[in-house]
Amino acid sequence: MFQTKEEKNIFDDYVKKGYLIFNIKDQKKLNLLRTNVVKFIKKNSKKIISNSNNEEKYLNNSHQFIEKKNRNNLRLNLINHLNSDKHFRLNYYNFAKEYLEKIVGNELAMQQRINLSIQFPKDNSSLLPLHSDTWAGDSPFETVVWLPLVNCFKSKSMYIIPPNKMKLVNSLIKKKMTTDQMFLKIKKHVTWIKINYGQILIFNQNLPHGNIVNKEKETRFSFNCRFKSIFAPYGDKKIGEFFDPITLKPASKIGMIYKYPEI
């Protein structure tokens, strides 16, 4: 393989751990995104809390003024609001572009709508039990870009099974265990992702991952979006339905429409 030393280190690290965390270079656009989120919540919430001018504290403490029964509607409305901005997906892609090109490629398809998770403390209604996206029909060629708007750690974050523990996972699957039973067997081996605001995570969604009840005192806000090579095989989520091409090159476009002359 033709690789620079930096590319080889990224390659080896991603394969070994199943994820990469790196600092976002354009902090200004990230701050604007978080400001937009806070403004939307303030506009759609009647209750004012102390430190409301501190965006980090505002989001961390949002469970104090967003009613649990209203959280999902707020989340869906916020997703619609953000995805209606033509710059949102472009900025999101640019946050991770440098590493996506090294991990996935430079001709990419991107999920049409970026998703948002809001997890309150002690809330069991927004859990993702142990799962691999490929178990639900996703392509094994996809990767996930996960962007937090607050510092995430321990149960306020997510966990992922290291690649070197997949033999254990497969043995549990053969025993026809439920995902809850599997997690109890594997939980001492999981990697809890510690990631701060200003950083971004790219992880291998083939590896089992999930979250548990948030036992911390703060709320988690995090985005997630899938990327894959345009020409890699697709699973149940097809191009034009779930994915859009975003970086198709001229030679590929020409090749896709080329027709051999009739003889």
Side-chain angles (χ1 to χ4, degrees):
M1 294 177 63
F2 297 154
Q3 291 178 315
T4 65
K5 185 177 181 180
E6 179 192 16
E7 289 170 340
K8 185 179 185 306
N9 289 339
I10 290 171
F11 181 103
D12 292 343
D13 206 22
Y14 187 76
V15 170
K16 181 180 179 180
K17 296 194 307 183
Y19 70 92
L20 284 177
I21 295 174
F22 55 92
N23 295 327
I24 294 174
K25 291 183 177 179
D26 196 339
Q27 291 287 318
K28 184 177 179 180
K29 285 185 179 176
L30 177 61
N31 291 340
L32 287 173
L33 171 59
R34 186 164 76 170
T35 297
N36 192 7
V37 169
V38 169
K39 283 182 177 179
F40 183 90
I41 297 173
K42 285 182 176 181
K43 185 178 178 181
N44 291 274
S45 176
K46 296 179 180 179
K47 188 174 181 180
I48 304 297
I49 65 167
S50 60
N51 300 315
S52 62
N53 291 326
N54 184 312
E55 293 179 348
E56 181 177 4
K57 288 184 178 180
Y58 186 85
L59 293 178
N60 276 327
N61 294 292
S62 58
H63 55 279
Q64 296 178 7
F65 58 90
I66 298 174
E67 292 186 52
K68 185 178 176 181
K69 65 180 182 180
N70 295 330
R71 184 201 54 206
N72 197 49
N73 281 337
L74 175 69
R75 183 183 70 87
L76 294 174
N77 290 334
L78 180 52
I79 289 172
N80 289 334
H81 167 71
L82 293 171
N83 279 286
S84 66
D85 180 352
K86 64 181 180 180
H87 300 294
F88 179 45
R89 289 174 73 243
L90 174 60
N91 289 338
Y92 198 97
Y93 159 67
N94 282 331
F95 290 150
K97 177 181 178 181
E98 178 182 351
Y99 286 83
L100 279 171
E101 289 185 348
K102 292 179 173 67
I103 295 170
V104 185
N106 64 359
E107 290 190 285
L108 298 173
M110 179 181 182
Q111 184 175 326
Q112 291 177 342
R113 288 173 59 82
I114 297 168
N115 196 24
L116 169 69
S117 296
I118 302 175
Q119 189 179 17
F120 289 168
K122 300 179 181 178
D123 177 22
N124 61 3
S125 65
S126 56
L127 300 183
L128 280 174
L130 180 72
H131 70 286
S132 164
D133 295 0
T134 53
W135 297 351
D138 284 30
S139 168
F141 293 88
E142 296 172 20
T143 192
V144 177
V145 175
W146 201 84
L147 174 67
L149 293 183
V150 290
N151 294 344
C152 295
F153 51 91
K154 297 181 180 178
S155 60
K156 188 187 173 188
S157 187
M158 58 166 280
Y159 64 80
I160 189 168
I161 305 295
N164 63 2
K165 297 300 177 182
M166 282 306 298
K167 285 186 178 179
L168 174 58
V169 172
N170 291 335
S171 70
L172 298 178
I173 291 173
K174 288 181 180 179
K175 293 179 181 179
K176 298 183 179 180
M177 288 188 175
T178 66
T179 53
D180 289 340
Q181 290 171 332
M182 289 170 59
F183 179 72
L184 291 176
K185 292 286 186 181
I186 199 92
K187 66 178 182 179
K188 66 180 180 181
H189 299 296
V190 306
T191 299
W192 285 99
I193 300 297
K194 184 179 184 300
I195 181 170
N196 293 328
Y197 174 70
Q199 296 180 310
I200 200 165
L201 165 73
I202 298 180
F203 72 89
N204 174 3
Q205 51 91 50
N206 300 334
L207 297 173
H209 55 280
N211 65 0
I212 62 172
V213 172
N214 180 2
K215 299 176 183 178
E216 316 311 319
K217 296 179 180 180
E218 302 170 344
T219 292
R220 169 166 66 89
F221 280 77
S222 61
F223 293 106
N224 62 84
C225 184
R226 290 170 175 79
F227 292 82
K228 67 180 297 296
S229 169
I230 291 174
F231 298 108
Y234 289 80
D236 292 341
K237 296 172 180 175
K238 307 296 185 183
I239 195 164
E241 299 173 359
F242 185 86
F243 288 101
D244 280 335
I246 58 170
T247 54
L248 190 67
K249 303 300 181 184
S252 296
K253 186 174 182 178
I254 291 169
M256 289 169 71
I257 63 174
Y258 178 78
K259 294 182 180 180
Y260 286 95
E262 296 182 4
I263 299 176

